[in-house]
Amino acid sequence: MESGYFETIAIRTQTERSQYKEHSVPIYLTSSYKFDDAEEMRALFANEKEGNVYSRYANPNTSELIEKMALLEGAETGWATSTGMAAIFTTFGAFLQNGDHVLSSRSVFGSTHQLLNNVFSKWGITYNYADLDKPETWEAMIQPNTKMIYVETPSNPGIDIIDIAYLAEISKRHGVMLVIDNCFATPYLQRPLGLGADISIHSATKYLDGQGRTLGGLILGNKDLIDEIGGFARHSGPALSPFNAWILSKSLETLAVRMDRHCENALKVAEYLETRPEVKVVKYPFLKSHPQYEIAKKQMAQGGGVVTLTLNGGLEGARNFMDGLKMFSITANLADTRSIATHPATSTHNKLTEEQRNEVGIEQGSIRLSIGLEHINDILGDVKSGLENMG
Ligand SMILES: *Cc1c(COP(=O)(O)O)cnc(C)c1O
């Protein structure tokens, strides 16, 4: 690593090169590793010596990705997983036991909600949801058996923001661990560990890859906590493949330039939408009209690439808007070079009741836009044709 600058770390953090002196890191497609002799094998298995044993534990490609991400996130170390959900499952699995309670909010990724509701509940782990936009209610909801506070900020798709430093303060006061899903922000825009969180989690599938190619997950934190994560993950097996780790390590080299452009384009779209009569509400962290604008400014470097809007005209308005788009992809994913429109009420959040959807700020007229890297004139032009199609 050549300096402390984000861009330089993201490009220059590399594992050692082979005898061929390749400039770009090779892919190590190997499931296991040789030992020089019986003594080396013993020492590695006894954790007396560092080195690779088996790719379910570590591989040069995953190690490079983890080292780079830990530096970018300001973490001591980390663990890489096959998907974002594997990162979340592993974090819950490593730290929660029968009888523990998790305090979270309904504004979490759908599958995270399913994990709490259908999987961990089977093992006697309970949870409650507080509102992201009512931080004053969180402390009173901490129970004697609360082990973890788990939140996403900004949230998906409501784009609500909660003050991480405030949650860290109440977590410390009650001896509770604070876990942040930092997927929407990436370490380029927000570093939860520096604000007092214990663990930062990513779905690398989103902006870290940013090109819609691969699934992946990362868990970052201090060495003691990551050792516990590793203890669970070595035996439960959510390992990231070396090939996907290689892709993700390459992707990080361009994260800063990509995020700058995603944020610049998204802010322009958000500002444009605010001027249009068809639009009831626009949620974007760096719009002055955002209810938690001051907190967003304090903890994020820029507003991110996702804009959520609610159109006048309910379901019909939303459908006409989507059908009027010529360039945006209609896809449930986000954080791609390609701009994407999603109608959460009939796709990602169709399993929720109307009331539960309202709790997370999704109406029938709500649309989530993941703003890509096409030319801004084409992006704005397409948003305009969507609005014009509303009649
Ligand atoms: C996509 C996503 C996840 C899940 O990640 P996968 O890589 O799809 O498993 C978790 N959290 C957030 C905020 C996400 O957007």
Side-chain angles (χ1 to χ4, degrees):
M1 206 248 301
E2 314 262 316
S3 80
Y5 291 111
F6 191 97
E7 291 82 349
T8 311
I9 293 170
I11 290 169
R12 290 285 168 181
T13 306
Q14 296 173 331
T15 50
E16 275 180 33
R17 297 306 189 234
S18 76
Q19 74 270 31
Y20 299 114
K21 301 185 182 176
E22 62 282 338
H23 191 204
S24 177
V25 68
I27 308 177
Y28 294 90
L29 289 180
T30 179
S31 49
S32 59
Y33 305 85
K34 290 196 295 181
F35 311 112
D36 287 343
D37 50 29
E39 170 51 23
E40 187 182 33
M41 181 166 180
R42 186 206 63 79
L44 276 161
F45 272 84
N47 282 331
E48 286 169 18
K49 189 176 171 183
E50 289 217 357
N52 290 317
V53 172
Y54 190 55
S55 286
R56 172 150 40 82
Y57 309 168
N59 168 284
N61 293 112
T62 54
S63 299
E64 179 182 286
L65 174 66
I66 290 166
E67 187 192 341
K68 203 186 264 192
M69 269 301 284
L71 288 167
L72 296 177
E73 193 96 25
E76 265 175 38
T77 184
W79 197 271
T81 56
S82 56
T83 66
M85 284 321 302
I88 296 167
F89 179 83
T90 300
T91 303
F92 288 172
F95 297 115
L96 300 175
Q97 333 186 0
N98 187 302
D100 284 345
H101 171 261
V102 178
L103 180 58
S104 187
S105 86
R106 186 168 285 291
S107 307
V108 288
F109 190 67
S111 294
T112 307
H113 170 73
Q114 295 297 327
L115 272 187
L116 289 169
N117 196 38
N118 297 332
V119 180
F120 284 89
S121 58
K122 286 195 300 195
W123 300 325
I125 293 154
T126 54
Y127 68 92
N128 273 116
Y129 287 151
D131 290 330
L132 270 196
D133 57 359
K134 296 195 186 79
E136 69 283 0
T137 62
W138 283 68
E139 187 163 14
M141 290 180 77
I142 296 176
Q143 303 177 5
N145 62 339
T146 302
K147 180 77 191 281
M148 181 187 287
I149 293 182
Y150 180 95
V151 297
E152 281 172 41
T153 181
S155 68
N156 175 20
I159 313 293
D160 287 314
I161 307 277
I162 191 160
D163 190 332
I164 298 173
Y166 172 72
L167 286 184
E169 183 195 313
I170 64 171
S171 302
K172 292 220 164 57
R173 193 150 60 229
H174 294 269
V176 172
M177 139 180 224
L178 178 61
V179 180
I180 305 287
D181 182 331
N182 200 27
C183 173
F184 267 42
T186 82
Y188 187 58
L189 304 183
Q190 175 171 282
R191 293 164 151 226
L193 303 176
L195 299 168
D198 298 294
I199 296 271
S200 176
I201 291 186
H202 291 275
S203 165
T205 316
K206 308 297 165 49
Y207 289 108
L208 301 187
D209 173 42
Q211 289 148 87
R213 302 174 296 189
T214 181
L215 298 165
L218 281 140
I219 308 164
L220 290 316
N222 71 26
K223 190 171 175 318
D224 290 350
L225 295 179
I226 298 299
D227 280 349
E228 286 194 56
I229 296 273
F232 183 82
R234 282 165 77 118
H235 306 300
S236 54
L240 180 65
S241 83
F243 183 73
N244 288 351
W246 177 84
I247 290 181
L248 290 168
S249 180
K250 283 269 152 209
S251 305
L252 287 181
E253 296 181 10
T254 57
L255 180 66
V257 284
R258 286 187 286 107
M259 289 313 290
D260 280 340
R261 186 62 69 82
H262 279 297
C263 295
E264 186 189 324
N265 288 351
L267 181 60
K268 284 181 183 152
V269 170
E271 285 171 347
Y272 171 68
L273 287 167
E274 274 200 319
T275 67
R276 295 288 306 212
E278 300 89 340
V279 180
K280 188 159 85 174
V281 189
V282 188
K283 287 287 278 294
Y284 184 71
F286 270 37
L287 278 184
K288 287 209 177 63
S289 59
H290 190 291
Q292 294 104 29
Y293 172 74
E294 294 301 331
I295 300 167
K297 279 278 190 184
K298 188 179 75 164
Q299 68 190 20
M300 297 176 72
Q302 299 177 67
V306 180
V307 180
T308 297
L309 63 145
T310 300
L311 292 160
N312 292 317
L315 179 62
E316 203 194 327
R319 289 181 74 115
N320 288 340
F321 173 82
M322 302 257 293
D323 291 342
L325 296 169
K326 297 184 181 75
M327 182 183 78
F328 274 62
S329 315
I330 298 183
T331 308
N333 197 19
L334 56 91
D336 202 306
T337 53
R338 297 170 177 83
S339 293
I340 291 170
T342 308
H343 184 244
T346 56
S347 61
T348 51
H349 291 69
N350 71 345
K351 301 281 187 308
L352 300 190
T353 64
E354 199 76 24
E355 193 195 343
Q356 290 169 338
R357 273 198 293 269
N358 286 334
E359 268 178 50
V360 294
I362 304 171
E363 297 178 28
Q364 290 295 339
S366 301
I367 306 268
R368 184 185 69 198
L369 298 178
S370 169
I371 304 302
L373 305 181
E374 302 95 339
H375 196 282
I376 185 63
N377 292 349
D378 288 326
I379 296 173
L380 287 172
D382 210 37
V383 170
K384 190 160 175 249
S385 36
L387 293 170
E388 281 167 358
N389 198 48
M390 292 173 65

